[in-house]
Amino acid sequence: MDNEGTHGTRGTRGAQPPDGRPGSSVPHPAGPPPASPPVFPPTVPPPSAPPTTPPAVPPAVPKRPATAPGQPRPAGARSDTAEWLNAHRPRTEPGVWRYAHVPRPAERPPRPSLVGPLATMVLWLLLWLLLTERAVPYVSKPIEIITGPEWWSFGGLKEDAPALVVNSTTLYYQVLVLGLGFWAARIGGWAHVFRYFAGPRLGRARLLLSVSGAVVTVWLVWTRRVPLADIILPAVPTSWMQGGGNQYAALLVSLIAYALIGTAIVWPFARIGQWPAALAPLLGRGEPGPERPRTAPAPSGPDLAHWPELRAAGSTDAAEALTAAVHADRLNDIDCVRLRHAWGAARNRPDRRDSFTDTVLRKGADAFLHPSGRRDLPRRTAVHDPLTGQVRIGACADDPRNPYARRGSGMALEPASLATSLLVVGPPGSGKTERVVRPVVESLALRALTGQAAVLAVGAGGDRLGPDGAYDVVVRIGDPASLHDFDLYGGTTDPDEAAAALAEGLAGDLPAPDTRRAATALGQLLGPYRAVHGTFPAVPELRELLEGSATALAGLRQALESTGHHAMLRELDARQRQAGGAGDPAAVLADRIAVLDRPAFAGFFATGPDARPFSLRSLEQHPLRVRIDLPERAHAEASRLLARLILAQFNAITAARADRSLFVCLVLDDATHTVTAETVRGVRRLRSVNAGAVLVLRTLDDVPEDLHTPLLGAVGCTMAFPGVTTWDGKRFAETWGKEWVEVREVAQHGVFADQPLTRALHALRKMATGKAVTTDAVTVRQVERERWSASGLAYELPVGHAVLSLTTVDGEHAPPLLVRLGG
């Protein structure tokens, strides 16, 4: 977005937009813009390519340029902006801080007990010894039947037994010992123990163990300790080679037999050790398996610092200019994102592409500046990644209630989540504003500087939501020094639209009158007044009309008759007929509007030609950063009324805007007595119009009880701080739902013996321990339990933590996570 014709606009009554609506011009910034750096030369060669090796430790925060834009860098120094652009940002679950994110390694199972494996190994070794000594009876019967009983005597071989019988018997016992070893390994879980201690190097350990086993087995067969060859080779028919036969043929047959024996021995080990997969990387036929390092992987995509999108579209000159600026640190992170967004809007239009290139070459880093002329905020108090729009608010706590993969990962908020609206609940002093609201406002303000968002922050006076220099418009209601007033009618020219929003602000929190009847009563007065005067009435005039002042109504009637507005005369007649009736809302509306008709607000809500109102309608056209300070300390009732009116106007304006490419977000630092049935319906519609709201409450009791469930269902993101009551916790627990968990129940049952000796032993044990002999009955079952209980939210949240649940506009969900704020 070029700033020609918009930079330096003064006031809110500049040139009218094409649609003729007032109040939609760009207000001037709250402070003077900084001096922009000189235009850079477009032909500066970029430095050498960045290294491809990943850093040893992933950076926790995005780097900011070490030198100011326009200053020379030290020789050989790397560009921080280029490193920030090319940082690894994987696609992850909602809420994960993507900058240099490294997934956590898979969870290791609990350490297995070594008692079972050791016991089975000892038993196997004992059986091995007994079989070697031929001390187990009847074991030799199968081999005795196979070899013939004539070579056996009293369970042992005779001395004159042939070698084939001796070797067969030896091999029989060795196979028996090997089979018992497999049985012991299966019963004792040796494979599970091996996999646990091998850990992430399981493939390498399995390869080493299988190769070692194959080598040892081949050596045992070769040295005749395992007489496998002595049994197989005599079975090879060699009669045709005897009697002067071919000796080379006999050697060849022997070698083939040995090769077959070796293959038969090695093949099972190769199958178990998965040799083809393990040797493929060494042979250049594959890639090694991932080791899950805790370091940030090197960027695998294109080098964003060289602007490949521009080069692919043929804008090489602009790409060279921006590349030189990035490597010279003349562009900061906001500049890069702003220019990328401007290119995204121009790349599909050939006429705009030429204009983009020309603007970049002429203005350099000042191209497509924000209308305020700002390139960054005066101060950042949180960690931001403007490329993804994320702001880091903390880290997931290492708590069993968090999923294992999320523990320790950074927690962030982004427009995709804020577009579903965020509800923050916590008592005063729990850190809602400092640790959540202000970082979110900063993130949206940075996004506004890139031309992608508009933010409206509403709170108490002061710099709790950021300094004045971070905003384009600062409205201090009730402060005579404020440069801007507030438009009670939202910049609209339609009396019915203005009446609907004003009725919601004045009487939306009251059970009676109905806001529709209140809107009708206001419309019957606003329409005639605007038809006569061309503007809506100021607060004193509106109060007089609602109170039924004879002088005011007579003057309005006379003006209507003189100008011939017969339709508006019927509206005024209807208002006069309804005045004073049983269900007339005018008296209640007059009492409420009287809250704003105070000396402190004299002239502040003026509507005449000398007024300086700021209209929320400006947010639908320009990426503005607006802050409205409410007089909460001196005029609490007026502050709540205005906050309610702002929320109603925001819902109406965002729902009716035609261009929804700009993300618009409202941040209410205190939404006490602000939420009504109509505003809840409006908040539910925000996600479909690329808008969102952040509502902060001290407790859910600040909202009418019948709106608790609709409000929690309307917002996609919810956050509970330490100190919430069990009543609030119950609502959150119901909203977050349940999950299936595995429950292990152990029941102890008494053991009753029937045998006298057993009863005596049990009695002796009871005398020694003082406890009866029992046995444990373990039951494992799947049950459905709440993710967070009401008591857990009320009493188990540590200080400085919060439970956050997220939903994106695409429908992705993140379960409620315990977040360590500020981490």
Side-chain angles (χ1 to χ4, degrees):
M1 54 176 208
D2 203 344
N3 63 336
E4 294 183 3
T6 58
H7 181 71
T9 303
R10 300 294 178 182
T12 58
R13 296 190 174 276
Q16 295 291 331
D19 56 2
R21 292 180 297 180
S24 59
S25 57
V26 183
H28 64 81
S36 57
V39 178
F40 51 83
T43 56
V44 178
S48 58
T52 58
T53 57
V57 179
V61 299
K63 292 184 178 181
R64 300 284 299 280
T67 58
Q71 294 182 358
R73 295 187 55 83
R78 282 281 299 156
S79 168
D80 291 338
T81 305
E83 292 183 2
W84 170 80
L85 274 174
N86 292 312
H88 184 58
R89 295 175 176 89
R91 293 287 181 180
T92 56
E93 300 176 8
V96 176
W97 175 248
R98 293 173 52 190
Y99 181 85
H101 171 69
V102 178
R104 191 176 187 183
E107 183 178 9
R108 295 194 66 183
R111 181 173 180 175
S113 174
L114 300 179
V115 176
L118 290 177
T120 54
M121 181 174 288
V122 170
L123 177 61
W124 177 53
L125 294 176
L126 178 61
L127 292 175
W128 190 349
L129 178 62
L130 293 176
L131 291 174
T132 303
E133 298 296 331
R134 308 293 195 268
V136 182
Y138 305 108
V139 174
S140 60
K141 285 299 181 182
I143 191 64
E144 182 179 346
I145 295 174
I146 294 174
T147 57
E150 64 272 13
W151 308 112
W152 294 82
S153 177
F154 300 103
L157 285 173
K158 295 180 180 180
E159 294 182 358
D160 58 343
L164 183 60
V165 174
V166 174
N167 293 333
S168 299
T169 304
T170 302
L171 185 62
Y172 167 75
Y173 276 100
Q174 290 174 347
V175 171
L176 191 60
V177 169
L178 183 62
L180 290 174
F182 280 113
W183 173 80
R186 185 178 182 85
I187 297 299
W190 296 3
H192 177 62
V193 175
F194 174 76
R195 284 193 296 267
Y196 175 81
F197 286 101
R201 297 178 177 82
L202 176 61
R204 192 175 303 174
R206 184 168 49 201
L207 175 64
L208 180 61
L209 185 63
S210 59
V211 169
S212 302
V215 171
V216 171
T217 305
V218 170
W219 177 76
L220 291 175
V221 173
W222 186 267
T223 57
R224 300 300 196 271
R225 287 176 171 81
V226 176
L228 181 62
D230 295 334
I231 296 176
I232 295 179
L233 290 178
V236 177
T238 56
S239 58
W240 58 277
M241 293 185 297
Q242 297 176 359
N246 192 337
Q247 298 180 355
Y248 295 103
L251 178 61
L252 178 61
V253 171
S254 300
L255 292 177
I256 293 175
Y258 276 110
L260 293 176
I261 294 172
T263 303
I265 294 173
V266 172
W267 182 83
F269 290 97
R271 181 72 178 272
I272 296 174
Q274 300 179 6
W275 290 6
L279 297 177
L282 300 179
L283 300 177
R285 298 177 182 176
E287 296 295 333
E291 292 289 340
R292 295 279 186 179
R294 292 298 292 171
T295 57
S300 56
D303 187 359
L304 298 182
H306 286 76
W307 302 86
E309 302 93 344
L310 274 69
R311 299 179 188 275
S315 300
T316 309
D317 294 341
E320 290 292 341
L322 295 177
T323 300
V326 167
H327 289 290
D329 266 341
R330 282 191 288 264
L331 292 179
N332 60 13
D333 50 359
I334 301 299
D335 296 331
C336 294
V337 177
R338 186 186 72 246
L339 292 170
R340 286 171 60 89
H341 174 67
W343 168 250
R347 62 183 175 184
N348 295 327
R349 300 279 298 274
D351 54 335
R352 289 190 178 183
R353 275 189 288 179
D354 297 338
S355 175
F356 176 87
T357 303
D358 179 67
T359 305
V360 168
L361 294 179
R362 284 190 299 106
K363 297 188 176 182
D366 288 336
F368 305 100
L369 269 181
H370 186 263
S372 66
R374 301 283 184 177
R375 298 175 57 191
D376 202 349
L377 298 180
R379 182 175 66 255
R380 299 190 193 182
T381 60
V383 181
H384 302 272
D385 186 15
L387 193 61
T388 58
Q390 289 187 319
V391 53
R392 180 173 176 136
I393 62 172
C396 289
D398 191 3
D399 189 270
R401 285 168 289 198
N402 285 343
Y404 175 82
R406 297 297 298 268
R407 299 174 194 171
S409 63
M411 199 69 190
L413 293 174
E414 56 188 336
S417 299
L418 296 177
T420 63
S421 298
L422 169 65
L423 177 65
V424 182
V425 179
S430 56
K432 305 184 297 296
T433 301
E434 178 184 358
R435 299 180 177 180
V436 176
V437 176
R438 180 160 181 177
V440 168
V441 173
E442 279 187 7
S443 175
L444 294 171
L446 290 174
R447 200 160 182 81
L449 292 179
T450 65
Q452 303 179 71
V455 57
L456 173 61
V458 182
D463 58 352
R464 297 180 60 189
L465 301 181
D468 294 353
Y471 295 93
D472 304 314
V473 177
V474 177
V475 181
R476 297 183 180 90
I477 297 180
D479 186 356
S482 177
L483 295 178
H484 301 278
D485 302 338
F486 179 71
D487 190 353
L488 292 178
Y489 305 101
T492 182
T493 58
D494 185 359
D496 293 331
E497 183 181 349
L502 189 57
E504 192 66 33
L506 294 177
D509 61 327
L510 298 177
D514 185 5
T515 54
R516 288 176 296 181
R517 298 184 62 186
T520 301
L522 286 170
Q524 291 171 345
L525 296 175
L526 297 181
Y529 190 94
R530 180 172 179 82
V532 172
H533 299 90
T535 60
F536 290 118
V539 171
E541 290 81 2
L542 180 59
R543 179 182 179 184
E544 290 181 358
L545 292 173
L546 289 172
E547 289 176 346
S549 172
T551 304
L553 292 175
L556 183 57
R557 173 179 292 276
Q558 183 179 0
L560 289 173
E561 292 175 349
S562 62
T563 54
H565 290 88
H566 301 289
M568 293 303 172
L569 274 173
R570 289 195 299 269
E571 287 284 293
L572 188 60
D573 291 339
R575 173 87 293 273
Q576 289 181 327
R577 286 194 303 268
Q578 297 170 5
D584 184 23
V588 177
L589 295 175
D591 291 341
R592 283 301 182 91
I593 201 67
V595 175
L596 302 180
D597 190 16
R598 305 298 302 164
F601 306 131
F604 202 85
F605 304 110
T607 58
D610 297 332
R612 307 167 302 169
F614 169 75
S615 171
L616 299 189
R617 200 168 294 276
S618 301
L619 297 174
E620 70 178 356
Q621 300 178 4
H622 309 290
L624 293 178
R625 302 165 297 162
V626 183
R627 192 187 77 202
I628 299 179
D629 294 343
L630 301 178
E632 291 185 356
R633 295 182 180 178
H635 304 276
E637 184 65 24
S639 297
R640 288 193 289 268
L641 188 151
L642 291 171
R644 205 161 44 243
L645 178 59
I646 291 172
L647 180 56
Q649 289 185 2
F650 180 82
N651 287 338
I653 291 172
T654 54
R657 60 180 181 149
D659 185 6
R660 298 173 180 177
S661 60
L662 195 69
F663 176 67
V664 184
C665 188
L666 167 67
V667 181
L668 273 177
D669 190 35
D670 185 6
T672 303
H673 301 295
T674 301
V675 179
T676 65
E678 185 61 32
T679 54
V680 167
R681 285 189 287 269
V683 169
R684 186 181 292 113
R685 293 191 296 264
L686 289 179
R687 69 177 65 189
S688 63
V689 295
N690 195 23
V694 179
L695 307 177
V696 182
L697 295 172
R698 296 183 177 92
T699 174
L700 286 176
D701 291 335
D702 293 337
V703 177
E705 186 175 359
D706 58 333
L707 293 180
H708 288 178
T709 300
L711 176 61
L712 290 171
V715 298
C717 307
T718 50
M719 195 172 191
F721 275 74
V724 296
T725 63
T726 52
W727 294 274
D728 291 346
K730 179 182 178 181
R731 292 294 188 183
F732 279 111
E734 293 174 352
T735 303
W736 292 333
K738 300 179 179 180
E739 62 180 346
W740 288 99
V741 296
E742 186 178 276
V743 176
R744 182 183 178 93
E745 297 178 352
V746 180
Q748 292 184 341
H749 303 283
V751 178
F752 301 95
D754 296 332
Q755 302 299 324
L757 179 59
T758 306
R759 286 199 299 270
L761 291 175
H762 286 185
L764 180 62
R765 180 177 174 181
K766 185 176 181 180
M767 291 177 58
T769 62
K771 299 179 180 179
V773 179
T774 59
T775 183
D776 292 342
V778 181
T779 303
V780 179
R781 56 195 179 98
Q782 296 282 338
V783 299
E784 219 179 4
R785 286 190 176 176
E786 294 175 333
R787 300 177 185 271
W788 277 88
S789 65
S791 59
L793 289 172
Y795 302 112
E796 297 179 13
L797 290 186
V799 178
H801 291 65
V803 179
L804 173 62
S805 173
L806 295 176
T807 304
T808 66
V809 290
D810 297 330
E812 296 183 85
H813 294 270
L817 303 172
L818 180 61
V819 181
R820 185 181 70 255
L821 298 175

